[in-house]
């Protein structure tokens, strides 16, 4: 090998090592921390915790299948349709906080702002470019964030469903801890992550299913979901939850990430009926049936909840499953029409007045390259 070739190989190796170093930078911090001490003792008292991990109520529920070969085949088969063909429209208009009523602003994926009786609750906020422990590798967002975090204004509470990277983002949490006075209401164990990210312990409230916290007159209650948790190789070391947000001006159900189970009727009987339900409809696959709702299941769950207006979440922003990009909302509309469930599908960044929801605007069709309906 000539000296020139040796230099080229050395330069290539150095570049590769540099890229690996960049990809790994900050990964350890982003993975968070394991609960210990008083926090761990409280977790052990939960009826959902045994043998060092949390469990779904239905025994035998799989977290993720051990073999992903069929899933990878579906990824390859749907490679051209898993991403939109054109730009995703984003609404970036500044709005003054709503002082009354019930409004929901969807920021993409599972991130949303609920304004209820003037109380502002931010759900599963992810503002980073990637939902990954590294901002150099991992699923990258398909559209810009509608507004900078600092432009959101006052946030009274940040509510987290579970600790997966597409729902709990270190950089976003750190920015909210520094830039707002919000309390962080989270399932059991997640406070360990927030501790190492610098969130003051006095601003962290951890809840088991059935427990809640009052935020300026709005009750935020953790309820059962069927999912799993984990930010590294260890799974199920923190709890997962759906959330009920209730005040004089209305009631909201936030699914977070969950599969279908037989508990929705009971949740509705205890906490409903709801004015609006933010229901996960995307990132599903046959192999993940236990832990991710598909669109038809989201409609079924909404009916059983007495869920009111269905606002679909957990789609559009990241490619996390092999199904076509627009399929979740297309299937959802068919199922909802069959069951008589009202649906609002806002553009990313748009605010929905739940008392006066907008008519259907099929904005996703142009983005997906589908024939636009008349």
């Amino acid at each position: 090998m000539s000296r020139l070739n040796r230099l080229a190989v050395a330069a290539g190796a150095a570049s590769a090592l540099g890229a690996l170093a960049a990809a790994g930078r900050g990964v350890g911090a982003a993975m968070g921390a394991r609960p210990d001490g008083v926090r761990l003792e409280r977790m052990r008292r939960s009826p959902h915790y045994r043998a060092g991990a949390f469990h779904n109520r239905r025994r035998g529920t799989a977290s993720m299948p051990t073999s992903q070969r069929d899933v990878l085949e579906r990824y390859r088969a749907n490679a051209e349709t898993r991403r939109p063909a054109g730009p995703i429209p984003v609404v970036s208009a500044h709005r003054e906080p709503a002082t009354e009523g019930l409004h929901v602003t969807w920021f993409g994926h599972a991130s949303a702002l609920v304004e209820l009786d003037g109380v502002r609750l931010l759900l599963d906020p992810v503002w980073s470019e990637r939902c990954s422990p590294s901002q150099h590798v991992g699923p990258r967002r398909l559209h810009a964030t509608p507004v900078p975090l600092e432009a959101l204004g006052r946030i009274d509470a940040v509510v987290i469903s579970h600790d997966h990277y597409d729902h709990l983002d270190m950089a976003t949490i750190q920015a909210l801890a520094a830039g707002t006075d919000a309390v962080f209401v989270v399932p059991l164990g997640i406070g360990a992550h927030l501790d190492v990210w610098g969130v003051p312990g006095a601003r962290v409230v951890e809840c088991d299913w059935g427990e809640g916290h009052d935020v300026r007159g709005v009750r935020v209650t953790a309820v059962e979901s069927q999912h799993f948790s984990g930010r590294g190789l260890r799974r199920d070391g923190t709890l997962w939850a759906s959330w009920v947000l209730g005040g004089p001006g209305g009631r909201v159900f936030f699914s977070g990430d969950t599969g279908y189970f037989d508990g929705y009727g009971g949740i509705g009987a205890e906490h409903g009926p709801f004015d609006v339900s933010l229901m996960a409809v995307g990132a599903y696959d046959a192999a993940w049936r236990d832990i991710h709702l598909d669109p038809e299941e989201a409609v079924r769950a909404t009916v059983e909840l007495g869920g009111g207006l269905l606002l679909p979440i957990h789609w559009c922003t990241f490619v996390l499953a092999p199904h076509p990009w627009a399929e979740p909302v297309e299937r959802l509309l068919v199922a909802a029409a069959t069951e008589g469930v009202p649906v609002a599908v806002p553009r990313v960044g748009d605010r929905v007045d739940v008392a006066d929801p907008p008519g259907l605007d099929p904005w996703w069709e142009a983005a997906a390259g589908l024939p636009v309906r008349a």
Side-chain angles (χ1 to χ4, degrees), residues 277-294:
S277 294
L278 282 64
M279 300 298 292
V281 302
Y284 50 82
D285 185 83
W288 310 330
R289 191 68 182 270
D290 286 340
I291 54 171
H292 283 161
L293 293 168
D294 66 26

Side-chain angles (χ1 to χ4, degrees), residues 106 109-112 254-256 278-282 310-315:
W106 179 54
H109 199 58
S111 302
F254 171 55
S255 73
L278 282 64
M279 300 298 292
V281 302
L310 194 164
L311 195 154
I313 61 169
H314 210 260
W315 77 287

Side-chain angles (χ1 to χ4, degrees), residues 65-90:
T66 53
S67 173
Q68 295 285 312
R69 182 176 300 174
D70 290 344
V71 179
L72 292 175
E73 282 298 323
R74 287 191 284 278
Y75 267 106
R76 283 192 284 268
N78 293 330
E80 293 184 0
T81 60
R82 285 187 288 110
R83 294 175 175 272
I88 297 169
V90 173

Side-chain angles (χ1 to χ4, degrees), residues 169-232:
D169 175 58
M170 178 181 72
T172 303
I173 294 298
Q174 290 176 326
L176 289 165
T180 75
D181 295 322
V183 62
F184 293 76
V185 189
V186 302
L188 289 178
I190 290 180
H193 301 320
L194 306 190
D195 281 353
V196 298
W197 296 343
V199 181
R203 291 171 58 187
V204 178
V205 178
E206 294 181 75
C207 298
D208 202 346
W209 297 342
E211 297 177 345
H213 181 70
D214 287 323
V215 181
R216 296 182 58 218
V218 171
R219 184 69 176 174
V220 180
T221 305
V223 294
E224 180 182 3
S225 66
Q226 185 167 284
H227 200 54
F228 72 112
S229 66
R231 296 178 74 83

